[in-house]
Amino acid sequence: MSFLKDPSSITIGKTFNCSSLCGADISLPISIKTDSRNVKEGDIFIALKGSRVDGHNFIGDAVHRGARGIILRDEEVPKYLAISRDQDVSLFGVPSPEHAIVEAAVKYLVCLPSLKKIIAVTGSVGKTTTKDVIGAVLRGKYKAHISREIITLFWVVR
């Protein structure tokens, strides 16, 4: 069965292939945030580790702002069991949140037959401007969706 064929079965746990779950699984659609400062009541926060900042350090902030669930690295789950229990927040353990978010996006995108092409912009400087210029050009001739924000992910392909 396709990922989107039975919407009632789409949950955070299944979408992100969670290896551990503390609390209730949460049905989609729901807003998933990568920046704790943008979390609103009922959102899911995914703790991504970057080259300078580790999202796991901001789990408390995300919960304080109203996160209903946290997607985090498996080995970090024990540190947050008290928050899960005391704040009624679900913890979704995954081997790598960075890979889990990409795998979830791929799982979702392959179910959209009308989606013809995806353009990805990479680099260390100028992604937002480049995305906006490409979007303006494409919207002049095609029906195009341009993301509102840039999500920077990094992983090594071996």
Side-chain angles (χ1 to χ4, degrees):
M1 180 179 346
S2 172
F3 176 69
L4 297 178
K5 293 272 191 227
D6 181 13
S8 66
S9 71
I10 303 173
T11 65
I12 293 293
K14 291 178 185 174
T15 303
F16 286 85
N17 294 322
C18 295
S19 43
S20 64
L21 171 61
C22 297
D25 203 351
I26 298 172
S27 296
L28 294 176
I30 195 164
S31 182
I32 300 172
K33 302 291 175 61
T34 60
D35 186 332
S36 67
R37 297 169 294 187
N38 297 330
V39 170
K40 293 186 177 37
E41 189 71 35
D43 289 347
I44 302 294
F45 175 66
I46 183 163
L48 301 175
K49 184 174 182 178
S51 59
R52 288 178 274 148
V53 178
D54 185 347
H56 294 86
N57 296 333
F58 300 95
I59 289 174
D61 182 52
V63 171
H64 176 73
R65 292 173 186 267
R68 183 174 160 197
I70 308 292
I71 301 168
L72 68 166
R73 193 172 253 90
D74 282 322
E75 61 265 19
E76 299 286 335
V77 170
K79 296 179 189 175
Y80 298 98
L81 290 175
I83 286 178
S84 174
R85 183 180 54 250
D86 298 343
Q87 304 284 333
D88 193 30
V89 173
S90 296
L91 301 178
F92 299 91
V94 294
S96 166
E98 297 77 23
H99 284 106
I101 195 171
V102 172
E103 290 168 6
V106 169
K107 189 184 289 186
Y108 176 76
L109 290 173
V110 298
C111 295
L112 302 175
S114 64
L115 186 65
K116 302 291 184 212
K117 303 282 183 191
I118 297 174
I119 296 174
V121 179
T122 64
S124 56
V125 178
K127 291 181 293 296
T128 301
T129 301
T130 303
K131 167 194 70 92
D132 292 342
V133 170
I134 291 171
V137 170
L138 290 176
R139 281 193 173 139
K141 184 169 180 173
Y142 303 101
K143 182 178 176 184
H145 169 77
I146 313 306
S147 65
R148 285 178 282 174
E149 56 188 86
I150 294 288
I151 298 175
T152 304
L153 297 175
F154 172 80
W155 75 90
V156 178
V157 178
R158 296 176 192 214

